[in-house]
Amino acid sequence: ESQHELDKISDLNKLQARWLRTVSHEFKTPLHGIMGVLTLVQQRGVSSDLKSAIELAQDAGELLVMYVADLLDYFQLRSNDLSLRISHFSLTDTIAKCIQLMKLKSEEKLLKVEAAIDKDLPSKFNNDQGRLKQILLNLLSNAVKFSHKSGRIEVNCQKTDENVCRISVRDYGLGIST
């Protein structure tokens, strides 16, 4: 009897994950369309002010796509259906892009975001870039949220082994009491 109930719960979780994949696709399609149009407008030679606004809109769109992916991940975890998407990418560029995505929020609070990246890092990494971005953006978002005005946030990336690096985000906000 209890195995039957567990199977029903598992089937329900899988159904929810499938439904959310469909819904997330429906959200992502128009978002990617909007971002594509913004890129086309930007390429037509607009003023620097407008170009900056377009870049911010593109960054916000990318962030929204990532939030939809977060929601999808949650349901995939519940249905034991989460997988990694390994790709070859620049870790330095990925970190810089995450910092750029949080730029508007950090500037609103007059926060200085600094990055210290080990010069010995390989130029390319094989890993799940999307998951790395997701984790780093969550850490940066929390750092911005809990840092005092006019403070600073540090992102450090150090090579610890041949194919291993350590990324940390340090803020000077309230923190978590221990």
Side-chain angles (χ1 to χ4, degrees):
E1 181 70 26
S2 66
Q3 183 59 44
H4 178 69
E5 293 298 318
L6 289 173
D7 290 343
K8 284 173 67 175
I9 291 169
S10 177
D11 289 345
L12 180 60
N13 285 337
K14 288 179 183 178
L15 182 64
Q16 286 175 335
R18 260 192 313 253
W19 175 80
L20 192 59
R21 272 195 296 271
T22 301
V23 170
S24 73
H25 175 74
E26 297 303 322
F27 279 116
K28 287 180 183 180
T29 300
L31 278 171
H32 287 299
I34 291 167
M35 290 165 38
V37 169
L38 289 170
T39 300
L40 287 174
V41 170
Q42 187 180 39
Q43 291 172 348
R44 302 241 172 169
V46 296
S47 70
S48 62
D49 286 344
L50 189 54
K51 187 175 182 174
S52 251
I54 290 170
E55 286 173 359
L56 284 174
Q58 288 172 316
D59 290 346
E62 286 181 27
L63 201 53
L64 190 54
V65 167
M66 291 187 74
Y67 289 148
V68 170
D70 285 352
L71 191 58
L72 178 60
D73 288 349
Y74 171 76
F75 281 99
Q76 285 179 327
L77 278 170
R78 284 189 54 183
S79 66
N80 294 321
D81 195 26
L82 186 66
S83 60
L84 296 176
R85 293 174 200 92
I86 305 299
S87 64
H88 201 60
F89 65 93
S90 166
L91 183 58
T92 303
D93 291 348
T94 300
I95 292 170
K97 184 69 172 177
C98 288
I99 291 171
Q100 182 65 32
L101 281 169
M102 295 306 299
K103 185 177 182 177
L104 184 61
K105 286 286 183 194
S106 62
E107 286 178 350
E108 285 175 1
K109 290 184 76 176
L110 305 173
L111 296 170
K112 183 175 183 179
V113 181
E114 301 169 340
I117 299 176
D118 191 338
K119 301 293 184 218
D120 292 331
L121 286 175
S123 62
K124 298 287 182 181
F125 270 81
N126 284 320
N127 210 315
D128 189 328
Q129 183 182 26
R131 301 266 183 252
L132 177 63
K133 281 182 175 178
Q134 181 181 27
I135 293 165
L136 189 53
L137 282 169
N138 284 334
L139 291 172
L140 283 167
S141 177
N142 285 339
V144 168
K145 185 188 306 184
F146 295 111
S147 289
H148 301 290
K149 264 193 168 183
S150 302
R152 82 172 195 259
I153 297 168
E154 299 170 355
V155 179
N156 293 299
C157 182
Q158 298 174 331
K159 183 177 178 180
T160 60
D161 202 352
E162 184 61 33
N163 294 313
V164 179
C165 69
R166 179 174 186 246
I167 301 172
S168 62
V169 176
R170 182 175 182 183
D171 67 78
Y172 297 88
L174 299 173
I176 300 172
S177 61
T178 56

